[in-house]
Amino acid sequence: MLAIAGLLVALVPPAVSVVVPGMKAKVAALDLASTLREARFSAISQSTTVDVEFDLESGSYVVKDRSKITNLPRGMALVIQERRGYVSETRRVARHSLQEDRNRYTLRFYADGSSSGLKARVGPAQGGGWIVVVDWLFGGASVSRASGNEA
């Protein structure tokens, strides 16, 4: 009986250390999606544009004109993935803002609920994690598991 208890004590910490980073990434992605949904709702309810600014170097984001900056958990990366193929002014604005400063990206929500669009990976710097997508036409935010080949 004592041998079984000792075996459990030896095996549980490594198993927990594998699961915890994955859960941190999932919670961070869900929190980001929730913040984006709130920003979209604000844009619609106030009939104005609302910007969400991402600081890729520090791994943080903030809804402009609000003081609460959200930082990702330690060891998590925020990677903006360019989405090509949209021929609209909103996509040009989003691409321009990313090229202007490689460490910052601005997502814009419009009064009609649409957005400039976003595809971002939240997870360990080496890959994996979760993908947060904001549809440019309807502005909806969704979260899905990142496949192994997504940077």
Side-chain angles (χ1 to χ4, degrees):
M1 189 65 134
L2 190 58
I4 293 173
L7 184 63
L8 286 176
V9 168
L11 293 178
V12 169
V16 169
S17 67
V18 169
V19 172
V20 169
M23 288 306 298
K24 283 184 181 180
K26 183 176 184 179
V27 169
L30 292 171
D31 186 46
L32 172 58
S34 176
T35 299
L36 297 175
R37 289 180 188 119
E38 289 174 18
R40 178 179 179 267
F41 177 76
S42 293
I44 294 169
S45 64
Q46 297 171 9
S47 296
T48 187
T49 59
V50 174
D51 289 343
V52 180
E53 186 173 281
F54 296 88
D55 184 336
L56 305 179
E57 187 174 344
S58 69
S60 64
Y61 55 93
V62 63
V63 177
K64 293 283 248 174
D65 302 328
R66 296 191 188 162
S67 59
K68 184 183 176 226
I69 296 175
T70 304
N71 293 301
L72 294 178
R74 183 180 301 190
M76 294 294 126
L78 177 64
V79 180
I80 303 295
Q81 299 176 333
E82 278 295 316
R83 297 176 62 183
R84 290 170 175 49
Y86 301 120
V87 184
S88 69
E89 184 60 31
T90 57
R91 291 305 302 157
R92 284 195 291 275
V93 167
R95 276 197 204 109
H96 176 68
S97 68
L98 184 60
Q99 290 173 355
E100 201 172 279
D101 182 352
R102 297 305 274 172
N103 293 323
R104 294 198 180 273
Y105 183 86
T106 300
L107 171 65
R108 179 167 286 163
F109 288 98
Y110 298 95
D112 65 358
S114 65
S115 75
S116 56
L118 172 78
K119 182 177 182 184
R121 183 183 63 80
V122 176
Q126 63 271 17
W130 297 84
I131 300 294
V132 178
V133 175
V134 177
D135 180 66
W136 66 273
L137 182 58
F138 298 111
S142 62
V143 178
S144 61
R145 184 179 293 278
S147 63
N149 60 358
E150 290 178 289

